[in-house]
Amino acid sequence: ALSRLAPADVEAFFVGCGARYRIATRASIRGALRRLLQFAAAQGIVCPELAESVPSIFVRRLQAVPRGIAAKDIERLLTSLRPETPGKSRDRAILILLATYGVRTGQIQSLRLNDFDWRRHRVIFRSHKGCKPVLQTLTPAVAEAVALYVREHRPVSDFHEVFLMVRRPLLPLTSSAVRSTVRLRLKQAGVDAHPLSPHAFRHAFASRLVNERQPFKVVADLLGHRNLRATAIYAKVNRSLLEEAAAEWPEAHQ
């Protein structure tokens, strides 16, 4: 079927994508399709020019407005998830870590038992996706949730990762498993988050800091950003500061 593809088919496919998906998703599809056609051309299935017919997707820097989970929805989510079973205990600890520290999925997945310094009430999240490691103070709520899971519900294992599967072979959770778990718990609690993923907690965490008028250098350090430009997108969520920065509209002279 690939050998029958024509540039018009590729264009029609992306017209359909434009109606169904956001621009970031279209950009990902564009890269995947281009690589597929390049591979097919190397195998002699399609002509080399077909990969060049994949249209470019222009994504303007800082064009999106980050959307996080509202504080009341986070509270409702955590209240509804009681740590009665190993699965619920684990998932509640994951959600509290995400909500309290705004860390990435990979930082939750790679969290190890020795990353917690219980005597000094500290936890360190390892660097991920080019970000710096983040050292945070253990809050009572986080300490209680993680300690409950580790002491009473975490399976006995030789793995050092904190979060494990609840069924055999009791392997450490993968990043995709963390995302699926968070998505499931959000849906069960009826939380309408955008995106419906752990990153919504990161957006909520950063937005809360910005609305509290924390310096952007502090926000960047807590998010693990190495460059302030990565944090700049959150300037859009503080409406009061934007209103202060806006210039008065000049009066029209008759």
Side-chain angles (χ1 to χ4, degrees), residues 12 14 17 22 28 53 65-66 73 99 109 133 174 209 218 226 244 248:
F14 271 92
C17 285
R22 295 183 300 174
S28 297
S53 69
V65 177
D73 288 333
Q109 177 264 331
T174 62
L209 293 176
V218 173
R226 295 185 182 274
E244 291 178 13
E248 293 290 335

Side-chain angles (χ1 to χ4, degrees), residues 50-244:
L50 191 61
E52 302 302 323
S53 69
V54 178
S56 298
I57 305 293
F58 296 99
V59 181
R60 298 183 185 275
R61 183 172 176 80
L62 303 180
Q63 72 176 20
V65 177
R67 298 179 61 183
I69 305 176
K72 59 180 179 61
D73 288 333
I74 293 177
E75 183 178 357
R76 176 160 57 92
L77 171 66
L78 297 177
T79 302
S80 65
L81 190 60
R82 298 184 179 277
E84 301 166 340
T85 64
K88 289 182 178 181
S89 177
R90 181 201 64 190
D91 296 351
R92 191 171 190 276
I94 290 174
L95 292 168
I96 288 182
L97 284 165
L98 289 169
T100 305
Y101 303 119
V103 291
R104 295 181 181 276
T105 305
Q107 291 173 303
I108 293 291
Q109 177 264 331
S110 62
L111 195 61
R112 291 171 171 259
L113 295 171
N114 59 4
D115 290 333
F116 288 87
D117 187 340
W118 298 100
R119 294 184 182 276
R120 298 183 181 179
H121 306 284
R122 297 190 305 188
V123 57
I124 186 167
F125 297 97
R126 300 165 185 266
S127 61
H128 184 71
K129 293 187 69 173
C131 289
K132 299 183 295 184
V134 177
L135 181 65
Q136 287 277 21
T137 300
L138 270 178
T139 66
V142 171
E144 181 183 356
V146 174
L148 175 65
Y149 167 67
V150 171
R151 291 174 178 172
E152 299 187 19
H153 296 123
R154 183 180 182 272
V156 177
S157 172
D158 292 331
F159 291 107
H160 296 288
E161 285 81 2
V162 175
F163 298 109
L164 307 178
M165 296 179 179
V166 295
R167 295 187 179 88
R168 295 189 181 278
L170 304 178
L171 298 173
L173 288 184
T174 62
S175 293
S176 61
V178 174
R179 285 191 290 270
S180 298
T181 295
V182 172
R183 190 179 303 115
L184 172 65
R185 297 306 184 186
L186 288 171
K187 287 183 177 180
Q188 288 178 341
V191 175
D192 184 20
H194 298 278
L196 197 65
S197 72
H199 219 71
F201 290 92
R202 187 170 176 84
H203 288 330
F205 174 77
S207 300
R208 182 170 70 249
L209 293 176
V210 171
N211 286 321
E212 291 173 356
R213 301 206 172 194
Q214 293 288 344
F216 266 83
K217 179 62 169 68
V218 173
V219 179
D221 288 342
L222 292 176
L223 291 175
H225 290 164
R226 295 185 182 274
N227 195 313
L228 283 175
R229 286 182 295 181
T231 318
I233 191 171
Y234 293 105
K236 295 182 176 184
V237 301
N238 192 326
R239 182 167 180 174
S240 61
L241 283 179
L242 291 175
E243 289 175 348
E244 291 178 13

